[in-house]
Amino acid sequence: MKNKKIIIANWKMNPNSLDKAKKLFSETKKVATKLKNTQTIICPPYIYLGSLVDKNISIGAQNTFSKNVGAYTGMISPDMLEDLGVEYVIIGHSERRLWETNEIVNKKIIEAMRSGLKVILCIGEKERDKEANYFHFLKEEILESLKGVSKNALKNIYIAYEPIWAISSNKGSAIDTGNLHEMVIFIKRVLSDKYGVNTKLPKILYGGSVNPKNTQELFTEGNTDGFLVGGASLDIKKFGEILKIADEI
Ligand code: PGA
């Protein structure tokens, strides 16, 4: 599975009933399980996870907490997710970072890895300023989020670069492929400066308005290992196409 492309469906707070979730899940699974070169990871809302866990397709949660058990009303722990059969967890999505600092993200990553979950760490700048301070911002996000994560643990980390301005629900549009390529190189550089040049680095994914029209170009020219797809993952026609295009590249 190592060199497969990774496509993650981030359903966010959708759909609004278990029946609809089951339908979307089985439609997605039908396409995803036919692919040869692509691994699909579906991330439904917490409350559907128990009903959807399936040994033929990878499942991820959209969030978790930084403690594993105890008096934390309303929280869901990494141990609970792992026990359900969830394999992945998205940590630090920009819609969560409204309340979460790098320090909180870091604590969640450490706890999730301790429970045996694979972590999809989201990073991304709010805007592209003329002075290019976003490079500094991203570097800090990466280094602070990965504090205490060993070189050996990197195999269980995926980095999803999701510039906030490119996310469809923010009325954004996808990054230009040349800029994406530049950011992928930058992220790899930050990681190899931290972990050493000969380190096997995490896969770098892109998220932000990925759709069937830009999939091919973002992949081939952007040089990513995969995508985190929000809005388009709720529409099986669009998501199915994204998966098929990715699989054929
Ligand atoms: P989008 O969302 O594909 O709808 O832009 C991506 C994300 O927020 O993960």
Side-chain angles (χ1 to χ4, degrees), residues 10 12 93 95 162 166-169 207-210 228-232:
N10 177 15
K12 307 194 179 183
H93 190 279
E95 287 153 17
E162 296 207 303
I167 292 178
S168 68
S169 52
S209 299
V210 174
L228 205 165
V229 185

Side-chain angles (χ1 to χ4, degrees), residues 56-71:
N56 297 313
I57 188 158
S58 302
I59 294 279
Q62 298 172 15
N63 185 25
T64 189
F65 191 50
S66 54
K67 305 271 184 203
N68 259 315
V69 68

Side-chain angles (χ1 to χ4, degrees), residues 8-246:
I8 303 170
N10 177 15
W11 288 0
K12 307 194 179 183
M13 202 176 70
N14 297 288
N16 59 354
S17 76
L18 179 58
D19 274 356
K20 290 185 207 162
K22 282 184 174 165
K23 183 169 180 280
L24 180 59
F25 184 82
S26 71
E27 288 168 342
T28 307
K29 185 178 150 190
K30 204 169 152 194
V31 183
T33 48
K34 288 193 189 111
L35 306 177
K36 293 198 170 62
N37 309 309
T38 307
Q39 183 192 357
T40 310
I41 303 168
I42 305 182
C43 300
Y46 277 148
I47 198 158
Y48 304 143
L49 287 169
S51 311
L52 300 182
V53 163
D54 183 311
K55 53 183 178 323
N56 297 313
I57 188 158
S58 302
I59 294 279
Q62 298 172 15
N63 185 25
T64 189
F65 191 50
S66 54
K67 305 271 184 203
N68 259 315
V69 68
Y72 304 102
T73 303
M75 297 305 189
I76 305 285
S77 80
D79 270 2
M80 293 173 185
L81 295 171
E82 201 273 338
D83 183 58
L84 265 190
V86 172
E87 248 182 288
Y88 294 82
V89 60
I90 298 175
I91 297 183
H93 190 279
S94 56
E95 287 153 17
R96 301 278 338 149
R97 283 185 185 267
L98 294 174
W99 303 279
E100 292 173 11
T101 59
N102 287 334
E103 199 185 339
I104 293 175
V105 167
N106 176 250
K107 285 193 178 135
K108 290 184 174 191
I109 292 177
I110 301 286
E111 209 54 40
M113 296 191 86
R114 206 175 281 153
S115 301
L117 295 173
K118 296 184 182 125
V119 169
I120 300 150
L121 164 65
C122 294
I123 55 165
E125 76 281 2
K126 205 167 172 181
E127 56 182 8
R128 299 216 134 193
D129 55 311
K130 280 200 205 90
E131 294 76 26
N133 282 320
Y134 54 89
F135 284 108
H136 175 76
F137 175 86
L138 281 175
K139 183 175 174 184
E140 203 170 87
E141 259 194 339
I142 297 168
L143 297 181
E144 290 184 3
S145 301
L146 292 179
K147 206 168 150 198
V149 173
S150 70
K151 186 167 163 167
N152 203 25
L154 286 184
K155 57 180 179 300
N156 292 322
I157 298 263
Y158 298 74
I159 307 240
Y161 169 58
E162 296 207 303
I164 298 172
W165 52 265
I167 292 178
S168 68
S169 52
N170 298 336
K171 304 209 177 350
S173 48
I175 193 168
D176 161 82
T177 54
N179 284 338
L180 177 56
H181 194 173
E182 179 183 41
M183 297 319 288
V184 171
I185 292 170
F186 175 74
I187 294 164
K188 286 185 176 165
R189 174 71 202 269
V190 171
L191 291 168
S192 60
D193 281 351
K194 175 173 162 71
Y195 289 102
V197 271
N198 292 321
T199 308
K200 183 154 179 14
L201 297 177
K203 289 195 187 254
I204 315 286
L205 316 176
Y206 165 75
S209 299
V210 174
N211 62 45
K213 289 199 187 96
N214 59 24
T215 298
Q216 173 106 22
E217 213 187 346
L218 283 169
F219 244 130
T220 50
E221 292 172 28
N223 206 25
T224 65
D225 298 305
F227 297 131
L228 205 165
V229 185
S233 72
L234 300 172
D235 177 335
I236 189 56
K237 254 187 93 187
K238 287 187 188 159
F239 194 61
E241 248 187 275
I242 292 171
L243 290 176
K244 284 180 200 153
I245 295 167

